[in-house]
Amino acid sequence: MYYTFLISLCAFFLSLDIAAGQEYPIGEPDLMVEYRLENDGAIPESVVERVCLRLGPLKEKEGERLQWLRLDGVKTNQERFTIWILSSGYPSTTVEKDEQSIKRYILQEGNRQAVEFRHEYTGEAVLPALGGWEHLWPRPVGNGDSILVSNRMRYLGNSYTLENRTSSDFIPCPSEIHVLELLPDALIGVPHNTKQVDDTRRFDDSDYELVRLTRADYDEMIDAGMNCFRVDREQADWLIYRPVFYWGLQGKDIRYPEELYRSAYLGPTIFLDEPGVHTRDHVIRPRLREELEFRKSITLDFCFDQFKQLFAKAKNEGNPTALLRGLAGRSDVDIGEMEFLQKNVYSWETFVSTALHQLAEQKNGPPDAIVFEPPGRIGSRRTLPEMNMTYQCQIPVDSPKNFIDIIYGFLRGAARVTGKTWGTSIYGSVDRDDAFWFLTHAYDMGAERFFFWDSHRLACVPYSECLALARNLRNHIESHPHRDLERLKQAAEIAILIPPGYNFGHVHMGRGDLWGVGELNLECCNQYGVPYRAVMNHFFIEIERCLRLGIAFDLFWDLDSFDPSGYREIVRILEDGTIAVEKDGRRTILSHPRVPMRPDGAPPQIGVSISKSTDDVPTTITAKARLTEGAAPIYYTPGSNEDGVYINQKVLWELFGPEEEDYHCLSHPFEYEKNQTLKENTADIQFRIDRPGTYRLRAAVCDVAGRTSIAWRIITIQE
């Protein structure tokens, strides 16, 4: 009792001294406070049994008063670890705030060499980003708001009692420190810890044989510029002193709690896998298969609502919970009341229109970024012609910027209004002419995540190509190391908003359906009786206007919670077929989009003739398109053939009907067209119809300037 009274009295006078003086950023130098775990039973061996905080000397840097703080942890098994920070204050509960106040961050595990985590270009301290920062530093319980005067504290989910508060010489960090120069704002890597045995590129949709990465492989990848790796326990130990980030170790596998303090450890996983695509594949498509009436009643609002539910579940019950679930299952660990979601995960997503909802749904929680996952055989000279032919805009197809700025507009915009980040990835089916520039352009726009998919048939980027992409990107980064990321986020002048639920489809991005399901094809109408195609046309004409005028733009779903202030102009595409333009405090309603000035020149022409093998079902339809070039050559390819050769197939064929919900994008083998050099040419297709009714065949053609021509033909099939 007497001892407790003396401690409380000392704490009272110490608190008065600290409050009155305010000369120390954290507290009086050489103060030491020691705490012991409150536990009367057996203590698991990896639990921190004793914690000691020591205050060190002051240092002034660039006019700011800083102070050294040291944390020592001793586990039940007597293993030790130490953290030193040089900071303008005691660590807060948010790492974002402490990234500004902590100038040096050093970790020593047992007798291992101490490691300092530092930004490669700025020299700033790099702090752990996986979440739970509030649990990594002792927090007071009662007796004021300072850990230095509290008799009890919480740490790593457990309670501790003050054992000693005294003055003791500060023990500085070792003179020999291994500095890890990291680049947290440009993570570059692949999602697996394997590579192809034979990385010869395959175009026939066959799969690769994979083998586990060796130490030499990691060395080669690091030399090429990669700095973010998936690992197992052995592989992680190879990289401890390399200037890279690593992930993949589950909670059951990490060294606890030391690994949580390693800024280079990113967690058991680093991404949510395609919440939008999973909504379609695991929620929407099963109902479409099982409920015939649902095919007629499905709406974009339904898809949006289902997406929100799936995303919330994936975020709150899925990958972001893996770390703590793994720790909670260990017999040598007691996480107590420690709760947090892994914060640094990003969403790997094809449906980029969902970016704002995903980043804004939880302000200080995951995901921390959204990364574009390219779908199918994507490329500027494939996707832009499809967008022109589908949405009836006129975007020049000869510049990859015209395509990828549409994708990045959603990502950068979401990052801007949420204060989070974004990135991009390259898949094997991305046109290789575009791939290198997509990465460097994203970097120049402020992207911070860059990944290459390295498995699964056409999706796989072969190992040697991953190295080449990384070298090119890293060379670009080294030539442009200093970015003002906040300013880059603010680059757009115009925000273009589209109603929630509208998007570009999935694998067939740019073709005639939304959410990747034919039941939401562009000929269907919304609740106002306006075809989806008309809404998307208005959206893309406004995008075309910005592209032609050279105006940077961001793109968003028009969510109720979204405040788009900060843009010079706000363009809202409305479902009733009108457009609301907000500028200088005034709102103007337009009945049509603002078509920009376009170059003179005749568009291509197309005429289509139809023949049937029989008038009733089943029947084979042969459609022949007669094409005439206008001012520019006709070009459209859905991708490469099995030899990796891109064939100009010229015509996009689509079949609608017999019901409104029925839609098929027609395709035929990647074959060479005869007489490709002639200004007048033909393109043929055959397809089978098995149901009676009235169908509409849409044939579209596009030239390299983006001019299009559309032909519709009615096909009636009897019982």
Side-chain angles (χ1 to χ4, degrees):
M1 178 73 73
Y2 180 69
Y3 175 70
T4 303
F5 171 78
L6 285 179
I7 290 178
S8 299
L9 188 63
C10 289
F12 172 75
F13 285 112
L14 179 61
S15 65
L16 290 178
D17 179 65
I18 293 172
Q22 292 293 323
E23 66 237 61
Y24 307 119
I26 302 177
E28 178 139 9
D30 296 330
L31 175 67
M32 180 182 74
V33 290
E34 296 178 286
Y35 291 89
R36 181 177 289 275
L37 180 71
E38 295 179 357
N39 191 313
D40 296 329
I43 303 174
E45 63 179 14
S46 293
V47 169
V48 177
E49 186 178 18
R50 284 173 288 149
V51 183
C52 178
L53 291 172
R54 300 171 184 264
L55 298 184
L58 275 63
K59 182 177 181 179
E60 188 162 317
K61 183 178 180 180
E62 298 178 354
E64 186 175 16
R65 290 172 61 80
L66 307 171
Q67 188 171 10
W68 282 101
L69 172 66
R70 169 177 170 148
L71 181 151
D72 290 278
V74 181
K75 302 195 296 188
T76 307
N77 60 11
Q78 297 307 299
E79 291 180 355
R80 298 169 177 266
F81 61 92
T82 304
I83 299 98
W84 291 267
I85 63 170
L86 179 63
S87 177
S88 60
Y90 189 80
S92 72
T93 57
T94 61
V95 73
E96 291 81 8
K97 180 178 179 181
D98 291 333
E99 285 174 340
Q100 307 301 317
S101 60
I102 295 177
K103 306 305 179 184
R104 294 187 68 183
Y105 179 77
I106 302 165
L107 168 67
Q108 184 173 30
E109 302 176 53
N111 294 322
R112 286 185 172 185
Q113 185 177 14
V115 177
E116 179 170 5
F117 302 94
R118 186 185 298 171
H119 193 288
E120 180 177 351
Y121 295 127
T122 68
E124 296 172 346
V126 175
L127 305 181
L130 58 80
W133 179 253
E134 66 273 24
H135 300 290
L136 299 185
W137 294 92
R139 305 294 172 189
V141 176
N143 283 359
D145 59 358
S146 171
I147 190 64
L148 304 178
V149 297
S150 178
N151 292 333
R152 298 182 67 237
M153 65 91 166
R154 302 287 295 175
Y155 174 64
L156 294 174
N158 294 299
S159 297
Y160 293 75
T161 300
L162 179 69
E163 189 172 65
N164 186 24
R165 180 185 286 110
T166 186
S167 178
S168 176
D169 291 340
F170 180 76
I171 304 174
C173 55
S175 57
E176 293 187 7
I177 299 175
H178 184 86
V179 177
L180 284 186
E181 293 188 327
L182 302 170
L183 201 57
D185 47 9
L187 298 184
I188 308 168
V190 292
H192 301 99
N193 61 341
T194 56
K195 71 173 187 177
Q196 308 85 35
V197 173
D198 177 4
D199 72 347
T200 302
R201 180 174 271 273
R202 301 179 180 184
F203 298 93
D204 60 357
D205 205 29
S206 61
D207 218 337
Y208 297 81
E209 180 185 354
L210 302 176
V211 62
R212 179 174 175 267
L213 292 172
T214 66
R215 187 194 292 261
D217 293 328
Y218 282 112
D219 290 342
E220 184 176 37
M221 296 163 82
I222 293 170
D223 289 343
M226 295 190 206
N227 65 354
C228 182
F229 299 106
R230 183 172 183 170
V231 296
D232 57 31
R233 181 71 266 173
E234 181 186 26
Q235 292 167 331
D237 290 338
W238 298 340
L239 302 179
I240 292 299
Y241 292 104
R242 303 301 302 274
V244 299
F245 296 92
Y246 64 95
W247 62 279
L249 298 183
Q250 304 298 310
K252 64 183 180 63
D253 300 320
I254 68 171
R255 294 188 174 95
Y256 181 82
E258 295 93 324
E259 210 118 26
L260 302 182
Y261 287 97
R262 293 182 189 167
S263 302
Y265 173 58
L266 299 183
T269 183
I270 55 172
F271 61 88
L272 300 174
D273 189 23
E274 299 185 282
V277 176
H278 284 210
T279 300
R280 182 201 63 186
D281 290 347
H282 303 302
V283 179
I284 297 173
R285 279 183 170 171
R287 284 199 61 181
L288 291 172
R289 287 193 300 267
E290 298 164 6
E291 305 173 32
L292 295 180
E293 287 304 311
F294 179 63
R295 296 188 67 229
K296 297 181 179 294
S297 62
I298 185 174
T299 64
L300 295 180
D301 285 342
F302 170 84
C303 296
F304 179 40
D305 289 340
Q306 295 301 305
F307 165 74
K308 289 190 291 186
Q309 293 179 37
L310 184 142
F311 172 72
K313 185 174 182 179
K315 178 174 66 70
N316 295 314
E317 301 177 22
N319 283 352
T321 69
L323 178 60
L324 277 189
R325 282 190 282 112
L327 290 173
R330 289 171 56 165
S331 61
D332 66 325
V333 171
D334 179 7
I335 64 171
E337 298 179 2
M338 182 166 58
E339 292 184 4
F340 65 90
L341 294 175
Q342 185 182 330
K343 187 175 181 180
N344 62 339
V345 297
Y346 62 85
S347 179
W348 206 324
E349 183 62 90
T350 296
F351 287 90
V352 292
S353 56
T354 66
L356 176 61
H357 177 82
Q358 293 198 44
L359 294 192
E361 203 235 15
Q362 187 174 351
K363 182 178 180 181
N364 293 316
D368 184 56
I370 187 162
V371 173
F372 173 50
E373 177 185 331
R377 303 189 183 202
I378 200 167
S380 303
R381 286 168 62 83
R382 190 226 86 178
T383 316
L384 278 176
E386 286 182 353
M387 289 176 167
N388 287 325
M389 292 185 285
T390 299
Y391 307 128
Q392 295 172 272
C393 49
Q394 188 176 321
I395 299 174
V397 306
D398 59 351
S399 170
K401 183 179 187 300
N402 289 343
F403 164 63
I404 206 63
D405 276 6
I406 299 172
I407 302 299
Y408 293 169
F410 278 108
L411 309 181
R412 178 182 60 186
R416 167 176 173 163
V417 301
T418 61
K420 295 185 178 182
T421 61
W422 66 280
T424 193
S425 64
I426 300 298
Y427 274 53
S429 51
V430 172
D431 190 329
R432 286 182 287 174
D433 288 342
D434 291 334
F436 290 88
W437 191 82
F438 281 177
L439 294 168
T440 56
H441 182 55
Y443 178 83
D444 291 340
M445 291 178 66
E448 300 183 43
R449 305 286 185 270
F450 308 88
F451 296 101
F452 323 120
W453 194 260
D454 57 351
S455 69
H456 192 63
R457 303 187 304 194
L458 288 175
C460 178
V461 180
Y463 177 75
S464 58
E465 292 186 32
C466 290
L467 296 178
L469 288 164
R471 287 191 190 98
N472 183 73
L473 176 59
R474 190 66 189 218
N475 288 339
H476 183 78
I477 292 172
E478 290 174 357
S479 299
H480 308 82
H482 303 296
R483 296 184 294 172
D484 186 336
L485 291 171
E486 287 306 311
R487 186 171 182 179
L488 290 174
K489 286 180 183 177
Q490 304 293 322
E493 300 179 51
I494 294 179
I496 307 175
L497 282 58
I498 196 169
Y502 285 79
N503 58 61
F504 306 153
H506 181 231
V507 172
H508 295 169
M509 176 181 284
R511 302 184 194 177
D513 58 26
L514 308 177
W515 285 92
V517 294
E519 288 79 1
L520 293 171
N521 67 77
L522 295 178
E523 291 300 294
C524 294
C525 294
N526 62 26
Q527 60 183 320
Y528 294 94
V530 177
Y532 294 147
R533 191 185 304 277
V535 177
M536 295 298 289
N537 164 262
H538 293 179
F539 183 58
F540 269 84
I541 294 296
E542 289 293 333
I543 290 173
E544 179 193 343
R545 175 177 176 271
C546 288
L547 289 170
R548 290 192 178 277
L549 294 176
I551 300 173
F553 57 90
D554 286 338
L555 306 173
F556 302 94
W557 268 350
D558 195 359
L559 304 178
D560 292 338
S561 59
F562 172 43
D563 177 12
S565 58
Y567 291 90
R568 177 172 60 81
E569 181 176 278
I570 301 165
V571 181
R572 298 180 188 272
I573 309 300
L574 305 177
E575 283 202 282
D576 64 4
T578 63
I579 301 166
V581 178
E582 301 171 15
K583 184 177 180 180
D584 298 329
R586 300 181 60 184
R587 180 182 174 95
T588 304
I589 302 297
L590 306 176
S591 59
H592 298 285
R594 296 169 292 181
V595 179
M597 181 72 70
R598 293 168 171 169
D600 294 334
Q605 298 297 316
I606 183 171
V608 176
S609 59
I610 299 292
S611 63
K612 297 179 286 186
S613 62
T614 178
D615 287 333
D616 52 12
V617 293
T619 184
T620 298
I621 304 297
T622 300
K624 183 181 291 290
R626 300 176 304 280
L627 311 175
T628 304
E629 286 189 354
I634 294 169
Y635 186 85
Y636 165 61
T637 177
S640 67
N641 64 13
E642 291 188 0
D643 297 320
V645 177
Y646 289 84
I647 308 302
N648 184 6
Q649 294 195 358
K650 300 178 180 170
V651 179
L652 172 62
W653 302 92
E654 298 171 288
L655 185 66
F656 296 83
E659 303 298 330
E660 184 183 53
E661 66 272 15
D662 296 320
Y663 166 79
H664 298 281
C665 183
L666 303 175
S667 61
H668 52 94
F670 293 92
E671 297 174 348
Y672 289 98
E673 295 284 353
K674 297 179 181 179
N675 304 321
Q676 290 188 64
T677 59
L678 299 180
K679 285 200 74 174
E680 294 191 9
N681 203 349
T682 61
D684 304 342
I685 193 170
Q686 281 192 340
F687 54 94
R688 178 185 171 99
I689 291 180
D690 294 315
R691 294 168 56 197
T694 299
Y695 295 78
R696 294 190 300 154
L697 179 67
R698 186 179 191 267
V701 65
C702 180
D703 70 16
V704 294
R707 308 180 188 94
T708 62
S709 182
I710 313 294
W712 288 92
R713 291 294 179 267
I714 304 297
I715 303 173
T716 302
I717 307 298
Q718 301 173 358
E719 288 278 359

